[in-house]
Amino acid sequence: MVMGFVTVVVSFVAFVVAVCAVVARMFRVSPYYDYFICHHKMDAQAQARLLKIQLQTKTGRSVFVDSDDLAELDGLFDTVKTRVGTLVAYATRELLMRPWCAGEITTALFNRVGIVFVVTPSFVAPTEEHIENIASYVDWCGLSFAQYGISDADVMNAFRQVIDPDGPARHVYLDATISSGARMDAAVSGVINQAMLPRIGSLKFVVRTASMLTWQGSDNANRESGRRSDYRAAIADGANYVLVLSLPSDDEASAAAGVLMSNIQAEVFGFASGGAIHVGTEPKEMSELQDMVETAKAVLILLSPRSLTSQYLLRAIAGSMPTAPTRGKAAQHAVVPIALPGFVFPGNDFYSDRFWKVWPDAPESAAGRVSDFFKSIAVQLSTGASEQVLATQSRLVLARVAVGATTDSGREVTPKSSTATSAQLMSSPSLATAKTTSISSSKSPGSPTLSGRACRNEEAVPFQAQHTMSSSPRMATLFNAEDEIDEVCWKTDAV
């Protein structure tokens, strides 16, 4: 009798809670974000983007990232105050030194918004002396948050609370000894688990693994689950795969690889049964690296600011290039350079000096192969841009991969998601537009010097060419498409 009564009471309480939750969802301010990712763009724009993708994939919840969702800065703190379930503070080295990040964290704490504080290996907590001198610790850039009701004392109090492991923020600690991919997995798991816990105390999440990690494996189950496997499994299965390489020690580059793969993986499976595979750690033997690039159907190399200081990446670049000129016939596989924000293309002095300092025992032909690699048109991947811009840039990469590619059954691949032809993409600069991927061959540059303008609403907006290849008639002119652009207008200048 008593047990029956208890069961009825528990069921009734559960029903009331469920009804309240539904009613709360009906009347809460829209749009509402279950997660708000607070991050420093210079250090973690790709990581924030990948964190958003994985949180949405694993939870089905809405996630705020400023490059997608921020309409105006004046409404930022109001969004944190009234429209956010959990603020995820992704703590890289300078997170707490950025004024808007400081304001977001302060607003969340004082309005009892849940905070998950993800501590990355680069983060160093401010000392009490730093906090006491908050005016010099935070780079305020002339900003004042007094109009939002935030004082220096409020920020100081918020910093003390958020870095305290026993404070109201729940902490997730990422292990510096594991790969970038494993750290991102740990961050996602930690955020999801901590956001579900009562707001007391802190758990320490540390994940360790020594395996060579990749984004997906070759079987159907892996496609659905996103389970990781390594390239050796693909080779053992006799599967074709697309190899994605980046600097393993660069968290931003690894995250950019994850973002790219999330955009192209489904279509890559259409012509490569092993899918796209990202190698997250350097192989112990360089012969293993050579096996990777030689057996890959295509090689995508992400170039970040420190890429040219890595012998591993230089070896990968040289090894992926054909051993002899392939003029007049198809190359053994597609090799696509992908430029990330901050990458500086090498000049002639690199091949005569710095190259040999990074790779002293390189074969004589290696520098020439690396030089040939940089004569290809690079695709820009603007990791700080909106989801739409990144999707368009990823399609350009996919089109380059699919040039001359065949499925495992021998059928030629035609990219579905880009209206530009393969020939146009190969002969034109890599453009990143949010509304169109069509590139007219009549607008392709016809001389080694190129200037251009991005046209929006019939108004010319000049852009800055970041790089021009003087050694090749094909241009590697790149630009960031932070805004939506309707078309790109090219003008060639006489030499």
Side-chain angles (χ1 to χ4, degrees):
M1 187 75 170
V2 174
M3 287 299 296
F5 177 76
V6 171
T7 301
V8 170
V9 171
V10 170
S11 299
F12 177 76
V13 171
F15 174 75
V16 171
V17 170
V19 170
C20 291
V22 170
V23 172
R25 281 183 175 272
M26 290 175 59
F27 289 97
R28 68 187 180 188
V29 181
S30 181
Y32 181 85
Y33 303 96
D34 296 283
Y35 300 99
F36 179 109
I37 301 178
C38 170
H39 66 288
H40 178 208
K41 288 182 76 72
M42 284 290 290
D43 286 343
Q45 56 192 12
Q47 294 166 75
R49 167 68 57 191
L50 185 56
L51 184 59
K52 173 178 179 174
I53 291 171
Q54 294 208 22
L55 284 173
Q56 287 179 324
T57 300
K58 294 186 177 183
T59 67
R61 301 298 182 88
S62 57
V63 182
F64 180 103
V65 169
D66 54 8
S67 55
D68 288 337
D69 304 296
L70 181 60
E72 54 184 40
L73 282 171
D74 284 344
L76 184 63
F77 297 148
D78 183 62
T79 296
V80 173
K81 185 188 303 183
T82 62
R83 302 180 179 183
V84 171
T86 299
L87 183 138
V88 179
Y90 195 79
T92 49
R93 182 182 54 195
E94 296 185 15
L95 176 79
L96 298 184
M97 300 179 190
R98 312 315 304 167
W100 291 103
C101 297
E104 291 161 6
I105 291 170
T106 302
T107 300
L109 275 170
F110 281 87
N111 288 277
R112 304 184 65 82
V113 175
I115 295 180
V116 176
F117 197 70
V118 181
V119 182
T120 71
S122 67
F123 178 72
V124 178
T127 64
E128 182 60 29
E129 183 179 356
H130 288 143
I131 295 175
E132 287 292 336
N133 294 280
I134 199 72
S136 58
Y137 179 74
V138 177
D139 183 8
W140 292 105
C141 303
L143 296 170
S144 172
F145 289 158
Q147 60 181 313
Y148 304 110
I150 299 175
S151 66
D152 285 358
D154 292 333
V155 176
M156 292 163 62
N157 189 19
F159 279 12
R160 292 188 181 100
Q161 292 187 59
V162 79
I163 64 175
D164 182 0
D166 297 319
R170 291 152 288 175
H171 289 202
V172 175
Y173 297 86
L174 304 184
D175 190 347
T177 65
I178 61 177
S179 71
S180 297
R183 277 198 295 274
M184 181 55 65
D185 280 350
V188 174
S189 299
V191 168
I192 294 172
N193 287 315
Q194 291 283 41
M196 294 171 61
L197 293 173
R199 296 177 189 175
I200 54 173
S202 174
L203 294 182
K204 186 171 183 177
F205 283 81
V206 180
V207 178
R208 294 183 182 274
T209 179
S211 63
M212 186 175 291
L213 296 173
T214 66
W215 275 105
Q216 289 204 9
S218 58
D219 58 88
N220 290 329
N222 285 350
R223 300 188 203 186
E224 295 297 325
S225 67
R227 189 179 63 203
R228 293 175 182 268
S229 65
D230 63 42
Y231 81 99
R232 303 181 192 88
I235 295 175
D237 292 343
N240 290 316
Y241 63 94
V242 171
L243 185 66
V244 183
L245 297 174
S246 63
L247 185 62
S249 61
D250 188 332
D251 289 348
E252 273 293 276
S254 295
V259 172
L260 172 65
M261 293 174 65
S262 70
N263 286 333
I264 69 173
Q265 185 70 287
E267 292 201 41
V268 170
F269 272 119
F271 59 86
S273 58
I277 293 178
H278 176 238
V279 179
T281 56
E282 291 188 22
K284 294 180 179 179
E285 300 293 336
M286 285 301 170
S287 59
E288 195 172 8
L289 172 64
Q290 193 63 33
D291 289 341
M292 286 188 234
V293 296
E294 287 182 354
T295 55
K297 200 174 190 75
V299 181
L300 312 182
I301 300 180
L302 281 76
L303 303 165
S304 53
R306 293 187 291 112
S307 291
L308 297 182
T309 66
S310 166
Q311 185 181 137
Y312 162 73
L313 269 190
L314 290 180
R315 284 178 177 269
I317 291 171
S320 66
M321 298 302 291
T323 55
T326 57
R327 202 171 290 172
K329 55 182 178 180
Q332 55 193 20
H333 57 204
V335 182
V336 185
I338 301 170
L340 301 179
F343 177 73
V344 178
F345 287 80
N348 292 331
D349 61 321
F350 172 79
Y351 302 103
S352 60
D353 181 29
R354 286 189 295 144
F355 175 89
W356 300 102
K357 291 179 179 177
V358 177
W359 189 0
D361 58 345
E364 290 185 8
S365 62
R369 292 188 194 177
V370 173
S371 177
D372 288 342
F373 169 80
F374 284 109
K375 292 175 184 177
S376 299
I377 299 170
V379 179
Q380 181 88 349
L381 194 64
S382 305
T383 50
S386 69
E387 182 178 358
Q388 291 81 5
V389 169
L390 283 166
T392 301
Q393 293 174 330
S394 299
R395 289 197 296 270
L396 290 172
V397 174
L398 182 65
R400 290 279 292 276
V401 169
V403 171
T406 58
T407 64
D408 292 345
S409 61
R411 180 173 57 84
E412 186 172 350
V413 175
T414 301
K416 299 177 182 178
S417 54
S418 176
T419 58
T421 67
S422 298
Q424 289 168 343
L425 288 168
M426 291 297 287
S427 62
S428 303
S430 300
L431 307 181
T433 61
K435 292 186 177 178
T436 177
T437 58
S438 179
I439 303 172
S440 170
S441 58
S442 64
K443 293 181 181 179
S444 299
S447 67
T449 304
L450 178 69
S451 64
R453 55 180 185 164
C455 301
R456 183 172 59 247
N457 299 328
E458 299 182 353
E459 177 180 334
V461 181
F463 68 84
Q464 180 181 3
Q466 294 181 336
H467 175 65
T468 300
M469 294 298 300
S470 59
S471 58
S472 172
R474 295 191 299 175
M475 310 306 297
T477 304
L478 309 173
F479 66 97
N480 288 321
E482 301 290 345
D483 300 317
E484 291 189 348
I485 296 172
D486 291 322
E487 63 175 324
V488 175
C489 306
W490 295 103
K491 180 183 70 177
T492 55
D493 297 332
V495 179

